[in-house]
C-alpha cells in the first residue's frame, strides 16, 4: 500500500477527524481522541505549531501518540 498520509490524513488517505476509528503502528485498534480537537493550544490540532501527532485512545484502555504515517483505517 502506498503512503498517502500527511499531517491531516492516515496512511491510507483518510482525513483524521475526532473519533475516527484507526489501527495504529502497534497493531492496536482505537479512536482518535476527540478532546484534543476541542483544546485551543498552539500545539493541538488546528494550532499554529501542531506537528501532526494525534492522541489515540486504544480499545484496551491504553493511549498512544501517532502521526498519520502510523495510522490506518484498514485492518490488514
Amino acid at each position: 500500500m502506498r503512503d498517502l498520509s500527511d499531517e491531516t490524513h492516515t496512511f491510507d488517505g483518510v482525513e483524521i477527524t475526532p473519533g475516527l476509528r484507526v489501527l495504529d503502528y502497534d497493531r492496536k485498534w482505537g479512536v482518535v481522541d476527540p478532546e484534543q480537537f476541542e483544546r485551543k493550544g498552539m500545539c493541538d490540532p488546528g494550532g499554529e505549531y501542531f506537528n501532526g501527532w494525534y492522541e489515540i485512545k486504544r480499545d484496551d484502555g491504553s493511549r498512544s501518540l501517532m502521526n498519520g504515517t502510523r495510522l490506518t483505517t484498514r485492518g490488514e
Side-chain angles (χ1 to χ4, degrees), residues 42-71:
M42 291 187 300
C43 295
D44 294 317
E48 182 178 358
Y49 298 111
F50 177 62
N51 63 4
W53 289 78
Y54 296 87
E55 296 173 31
I56 308 303
K57 293 169 57 174
R58 294 174 171 166
D59 291 353
D60 66 6
S62 65
R63 292 180 165 266
S64 64
L65 190 61
M66 302 275 173
N67 64 16
T69 302
R70 292 171 169 83
L71 299 170

Side-chain angles (χ1 to χ4, degrees), residues 5-40:
S5 66
D6 60 22
E7 285 190 358
T8 61
H9 291 79
T10 64
F11 184 85
D12 57 324
V14 176
E15 182 178 6
I16 299 171
T17 56
L20 177 68
R21 185 140 178 84
V22 293
L23 181 66
D24 71 19
Y25 187 76
D26 296 326
R27 308 280 308 152
K28 295 187 178 187
W29 284 100
V31 296
V32 177
D33 189 348
E35 293 176 13
Q36 66 192 307
F37 290 84
E38 296 171 11
R39 299 188 301 242
K40 301 299 180 199

